[in-house]
Amino acid sequence: MLFGLTVHVTMLLCTFLLPPELVMNTLGKIFLPVLMVYPVVTVLLGNMLNYQIDRKRSQGALLESEELFKTVFEQSAVGMAQVDPDFIIRKVNARFCRIVGSSAEELAGKDMRKMFLTAGPDAGDGSMGQLLEGNPGSCDTERQYLRKDGQHVWIHLYMSAVRREDGSLKYAIAVITDITERRAAKESLEESEERFKLFMDNFPGYAYIKDETGRHLFCNRKLEERLGSGCVDLVGKSNEDVFPADTARHFSLNDELVLQNSDTLVIEEQLQGDNGTETFLTYKFAINRKQGLPYLGGISLDITDRKQAAETLKVYNQRLSILHRIDKGIISAHSSEEIANTVLQCLRRMIVCSNVHLMLFEKDVSEASVFASNGDVGIAFSEGARFNVQVQRQLSELHSGYVLSFHEMSEFESLFSPASGSISPGTFFMAISAPLLLEGELIGTLNLLSSVPDFFNDEHLEIVQEVANQLAIAIQQARLNEQIGRHSCDLEESVKQRTAQLEAANRELEAFAYSVSHDLRSPLRAIDGFSRIIVEDYADRLDEEGNRLLNVVRDNAQKMDKLITDLLSLSRVSRNEMNLTNIDMSTMAGSVYRELASPEVKARFNVDIGPMPQGYADPVLMKQVWSNLVSNAIKYTLPRDEPFISMGGYREDGKNVYYVKDTGVGFDPKYEHKLFGLFQRLHTEKEFEGTGVGLAIFQRIVHRHGGSVWAEGAVNEGATFYFSLPVREVSDNDGK
């Protein structure tokens, strides 16, 4: 425009400055054509210049926009992809590659639908396909994607359409976000909420959460069922909206106390229900939050049954305590009268009535007398007072074990009427009578009287029946004890007489044993001595048969002497006093073997003496036990080619057990019962010498110590002999 203005000014100046003759010529040839062409040229030039300027501006803006898009596309924190109208991927950013685990080259040319929409309820084109039709303008979905490394990732896919002017799809931009962690957190939260709900709904008590104003935020299913409304109905309601006024006020005071102190409160709360008053053990506690005032949490357990059971148990404990005192009184009493008085005193303390008395029947049950009485006695119920028993329906009920309740004293008198006079009117108004049954026989009744009408209840009847059952047995036992006491003197006298007779017999037995040991041994020793002299001095004058017969006489005399010695030993086992002490059994067994074994035996035999528990016994008698067992083991094992003897012991069932085992000839197990009998032998005298007394002595010694003996064996397979001794109980004094 400045140029055009300059041209116009120049032409005007030329018109005024040029000579007149040149003006027309110049105006006609130059200025007029210029003035006519210039506006058109000027407009054209202006438009061209403006077009070039706008084009440069648009190119700059486009370049800037493309650069910005490229920067946003490449550096975006989400995965982005440019997709053709046929959903073929043309370009992806680095974040897209990292999310799907593939490179840009691997993703180029892939169908977006096959990558993300191959399974699930939206399989196929779905909303993606609708982008082609222009509806909707975007696609938004969540899908699980399997990467080529085998890892599953959750992806949020959002696609936006870029359309041409005619509405056709030019291309689409796909944006993906890795939501694996968010999805896992969501699932974890859902699982946690489900666990919490399951726990709360299956919790056996009532659970709830309230805000700082006391309005319910949550309640479990059991509380819903108790209140008869759903949790949604309860949310937002306060105690005053749900419970009666007094109950709500009590609950709210406890709630405020917890929230003010931010502490836990354990309290019993009560609520009226369809079946009466319900008792709950409630735990109320503050739930502190990071922001805001704390919430109130509450758990209530229905302990109504437990409270009732506790009250019932308390009553029963009181009853058992008194019954226990009755039992102690019965045990400590020495006569039936003392037992009756003790029981009546305790019973009246348990049931505070006017009078308790025990009435015993005569044999024909037509009369009864008061055996013992406690309380307001009066003339009619003093001890020894007699009553006529009317044989009526009540008496048969007593025979059947029923406790009778009389609400009028006239009813009581219809069954029990005083033999002289009557019960003073107005003294008693109610009575109960419990039968005393013993082996089906009605021996009496336990009667309680009250001066208060309708005093006795069902619990009193149960107590009286229990006491009557105890009392019947106790009185019978007391009577038996009295009979036993009367016979005890006669029994003691009989025992003294029998003891004296036994002592005399024992003295005679000892005298006989002494006579045997001296009077019988002297002739035997004489026979043996003279026989030996004849063999030594006159052997050359006797033939072979005579010498043999003399040797037979000597052998039998020696055997007889040995038998007498064993019998004396057997008698001394029971007579001699025992001196008990601790014994090292292993040492004693080894010592006995070394004493009994000859050099030949020691050279041939293989002997094993194992550990043994220490014994508590008489050393002399216990040495006799080991001597008998070891000598038998040597004797019956000597014929074997490889003789072996084992000795040992162990503790079992509170006893010390010892044994001697050999590899000898053994015995037949069916004759085991004869082993420990006097003069019982399982082998002939030609096979093995002996008197048959040794094992009997062994058994008697062990029995005297409070132990037992037994044996195991088989023919030609050896034998094992066992004996046990009680374990000594060590006292504190022993330890000191």
Side-chain angles (χ1 to χ4, degrees):
M1 291 180 67
L2 181 62
F3 174 76
L5 180 62
T6 302
V7 171
H8 280 78
V9 171
T10 302
M11 292 177 68
L12 289 174
L13 290 175
C14 289
T15 301
F16 289 107
L17 294 177
L18 288 176
E21 62 274 12
L22 292 177
V23 171
M24 295 304 293
N25 188 25
T26 303
L27 183 64
K29 293 180 178 181
I30 298 175
F31 290 166
L32 289 175
V34 170
L35 291 173
M36 293 176 64
V37 174
Y38 172 74
V40 176
V41 174
T42 301
V43 170
L44 291 175
L45 288 176
N47 288 335
M48 290 178 62
L49 289 174
N50 288 332
Y51 174 76
Q52 289 295 330
I53 293 172
D54 291 341
R55 184 179 178 184
K56 287 183 180 181
R57 285 179 181 174
S58 298
Q59 288 179 346
L62 180 61
L63 289 175
E64 184 179 354
S65 175
E66 289 179 352
E67 185 66 25
L68 178 62
F69 174 78
K70 183 178 180 181
T71 301
V72 171
F73 186 85
E74 294 296 337
Q75 299 182 8
S76 175
V78 297
M80 299 182 67
Q82 183 179 347
V83 183
D84 284 353
D86 54 358
F87 295 99
I88 300 300
I89 298 176
R90 294 305 176 197
K91 186 177 182 181
V92 295
N93 66 353
R95 181 61 180 170
F96 192 100
C97 296
R98 286 197 298 271
I99 292 175
V100 300
S102 300
S103 64
E105 292 76 10
E106 293 172 331
L107 294 173
K110 280 193 174 184
D111 191 331
M112 177 73 77
R113 293 167 297 184
K114 294 182 179 180
M115 287 182 63
F116 298 111
L117 299 178
T118 58
D122 293 333
D125 292 343
S127 58
M128 274 189 179
Q130 297 180 22
L131 291 173
L132 293 171
E133 302 173 1
N135 183 30
S138 62
C139 169
D140 192 344
T141 184
E142 291 183 1
R143 281 291 180 271
Q144 194 176 36
Y145 179 74
L146 176 63
R147 297 170 25 145
K148 66 179 183 179
D149 59 3
Q151 181 180 358
H152 285 86
V153 293
W154 275 95
I155 291 175
H156 175 260
L157 172 63
Y158 178 80
M159 294 187 68
S160 179
V162 179
R163 302 186 181 279
R164 298 185 181 90
E165 293 180 0
D166 59 1
S168 62
L169 181 64
K170 185 176 182 181
Y171 62 88
I173 298 297
V175 179
I176 63 171
T177 308
D178 187 350
I179 61 171
T180 304
E181 293 184 0
R182 188 179 72 190
R183 184 86 178 196
K186 178 182 178 182
E187 292 176 354
S188 177
L189 179 61
E190 291 175 351
E191 183 179 358
S192 176
E193 290 178 350
E194 182 182 8
R195 284 198 303 266
F196 174 76
K197 188 175 187 305
L198 287 173
F199 174 77
M200 286 289 103
D201 286 345
N202 290 277
F203 182 70
Y206 306 140
Y208 50 86
I209 299 175
K210 301 177 184 178
D211 63 14
E212 64 276 8
T213 65
R215 299 191 176 276
H216 288 81
L217 300 175
F218 166 82
C219 68
N220 67 342
R221 184 173 58 190
K222 191 171 181 65
L223 184 57
E224 296 175 15
E225 296 171 352
R226 173 63 181 80
L227 298 178
S229 61
C231 189
V232 176
D233 297 332
L234 188 61
V235 170
K237 294 182 179 180
S238 64
N239 292 327
E240 288 71 17
D241 298 330
V242 180
F243 303 107
D246 293 341
T247 303
R249 188 181 308 109
H250 178 70
F251 289 173
S252 298
L253 288 176
N254 293 334
D255 294 348
E256 293 174 4
L257 182 63
V258 173
L259 292 175
Q260 288 175 0
N261 298 326
S262 297
D263 200 358
T264 299
L265 179 65
V266 182
I267 190 172
E268 287 188 6
E269 294 180 331
Q270 291 184 336
L271 185 64
Q272 290 297 325
D274 296 336
N275 299 323
T277 302
E278 297 175 332
T279 304
F280 301 93
L281 180 62
T282 299
Y283 296 81
K284 293 188 176 182
F285 48 90
I287 302 175
N288 295 317
R289 298 188 295 161
K290 292 183 178 180
Q291 295 180 352
L293 296 175
Y295 289 155
L296 174 77
I299 294 175
S300 297
L301 301 174
D302 190 347
I303 60 171
T304 305
D305 294 340
R306 194 195 318 174
K307 290 286 289 185
Q308 294 175 352
E311 292 296 327
T312 304
L313 182 61
K314 182 179 178 181
V315 173
Y316 276 110
N317 284 337
Q318 293 175 349
R319 183 190 303 180
L320 288 175
S321 176
I322 296 177
L323 292 176
H324 178 63
R325 288 202 296 269
I326 292 175
D327 288 337
K328 289 178 64 178
I330 290 174
I331 293 172
S332 60
H334 297 86
S335 64
S336 55
E337 291 84 358
E338 188 175 353
I339 289 174
N341 289 322
T342 301
V343 171
L344 297 185
Q345 183 179 5
C346 293
L347 180 59
R348 191 160 175 264
R349 191 178 302 139
M350 186 188 307
I351 303 175
V352 185
C353 57
S354 303
N355 174 266
V356 181
H357 63 270
L358 174 63
M359 191 180 293
L360 298 181
F361 294 140
E362 303 295 339
K363 289 185 178 181
D364 57 359
V365 199
S366 61
E367 291 186 0
S369 61
V370 176
F371 185 72
S373 182
N374 185 277
D376 298 334
V377 177
I379 299 175
F381 299 104
S382 60
E383 293 183 10
R386 303 188 67 82
F387 286 80
N388 295 319
V389 181
Q390 308 297 324
V391 181
Q392 295 177 352
R393 177 180 55 83
Q394 293 95 332
L395 190 59
S396 63
E397 292 180 352
L398 289 173
H399 271 288
S400 301
Y402 291 105
V403 179
L404 302 183
S405 178
F406 304 97
H407 293 273
E408 298 289 343
M409 290 307 297
S410 58
E411 298 176 1
F412 181 82
E413 286 188 271
S414 65
L415 179 60
F416 302 107
S417 60
S420 59
S422 61
I423 302 174
S424 301
T427 306
F428 305 112
F429 293 96
M430 189 178 183
I432 56 176
S433 181
L436 272 65
L437 293 172
L438 192 63
E439 297 179 356
E441 180 184 356
L442 183 63
I443 64 172
T445 59
L446 179 61
N447 302 325
L448 281 74
L449 307 175
S450 174
S451 57
V452 178
D454 299 327
F455 174 77
F456 299 111
N457 53 37
D458 293 339
E459 183 181 352
H460 293 154
L461 269 63
E462 293 178 4
I463 295 173
V464 172
Q465 189 170 28
E466 291 179 10
V467 174
N469 294 336
Q470 288 180 286
L471 189 56
I473 298 174
I475 289 178
Q476 181 66 13
Q477 289 179 341
R479 289 178 174 178
L480 292 176
N481 289 334
E482 290 169 1
Q483 293 178 3
I484 292 173
R486 286 193 295 269
H487 293 296
S488 63
C489 295
D490 297 337
L491 182 60
E492 289 179 4
E493 185 63 29
S494 298
V495 169
K496 288 181 181 179
Q497 293 177 1
R498 295 293 178 86
T499 303
Q501 294 173 1
L502 183 60
E503 290 175 352
N506 285 336
R507 286 194 295 271
E508 291 178 2
L509 185 59
E510 290 178 4
F512 173 75
Y514 180 82
S515 174
V516 168
S517 64
H518 291 80
D519 297 344
L520 291 182
R521 275 186 165 181
S522 296
L524 288 174
R525 289 173 180 173
I527 292 171
D528 180 59
F530 286 118
S531 299
R532 179 175 54 80
I533 293 173
I534 292 174
V535 170
E536 292 176 356
D537 296 343
Y538 301 98
D540 54 344
R541 300 181 185 181
L542 299 173
D543 57 11
E544 183 178 351
E545 181 64 17
N547 284 311
R548 188 188 68 79
L549 293 174
L550 283 174
N551 286 325
V552 170
V553 171
R554 289 197 64 202
D555 290 342
N556 282 281
Q558 291 174 1
K559 290 178 182 178
M560 187 65 178
D561 184 68
K562 181 66 169 62
L563 179 60
I564 292 172
T565 301
D566 289 344
L567 288 174
L568 290 174
S569 298
L570 182 63
S571 66
R572 282 195 295 269
V573 167
S574 302
R575 293 199 318 270
N576 293 346
E577 183 179 354
M578 293 196 303
N579 297 314
L580 302 178
T581 186
N582 292 322
I583 301 174
D584 187 339
M585 289 295 198
S586 298
T587 302
M588 179 176 282
S591 175
V592 169
Y593 171 74
R594 288 189 294 272
E595 290 178 7
L596 296 177
S598 64
E600 177 190 359
V601 170
K602 293 178 180 177
R604 288 186 58 229
F605 275 61
N606 185 10
V607 178
D608 176 56
I609 301 177
M612 306 180 194
Q614 190 179 57
Y616 186 66
D618 183 283
V620 176
L621 296 179
M622 201 49 53
K623 185 174 182 181
Q624 182 69 42
V625 167
W626 285 109
S627 297
N628 289 1
L629 294 180
V630 172
S631 62
N632 278 357
I634 294 174
K635 177 170 63 175
Y636 292 108
T637 311
L638 194 60
R640 314 298 285 185
D641 294 334
E642 296 181 357
F644 175 75
I645 297 176
S646 173
M647 292 175 275
Y650 53 89
R651 180 167 293 183
E652 183 180 67
D653 296 334
K655 292 185 177 181
N656 292 329
V657 179
Y658 308 93
Y659 65 86
V660 176
K661 182 178 182 180
D662 62 61
T663 58
V665 297
F667 61 88
D668 192 338
K670 68 181 180 180
Y671 298 118
E672 180 185 351
H673 62 283
K674 292 185 176 182
L675 286 174
F676 306 106
L678 192 61
F679 303 124
Q680 297 291 333
R681 293 175 54 83
L682 301 185
H683 302 278
T684 64
E685 192 172 351
K686 291 182 179 180
E687 292 177 314
F688 300 97
E689 62 179 9
T691 61
V693 181
L695 289 180
I697 295 175
F698 158 64
Q699 183 189 50
R700 186 165 295 185
I701 292 174
V702 173
H703 283 179
R704 193 174 180 196
H705 282 82
S708 58
V709 300
W710 67 97
E712 297 174 355
V715 177
N716 295 323
E717 294 184 9
T720 305
F721 286 84
Y722 298 88
F723 69 95
S724 65
L725 297 176
V727 177
R728 180 192 180 193
E729 296 293 338
V730 180
S731 64
D732 294 340
N733 293 331
D734 294 334
K736 294 179 182 178

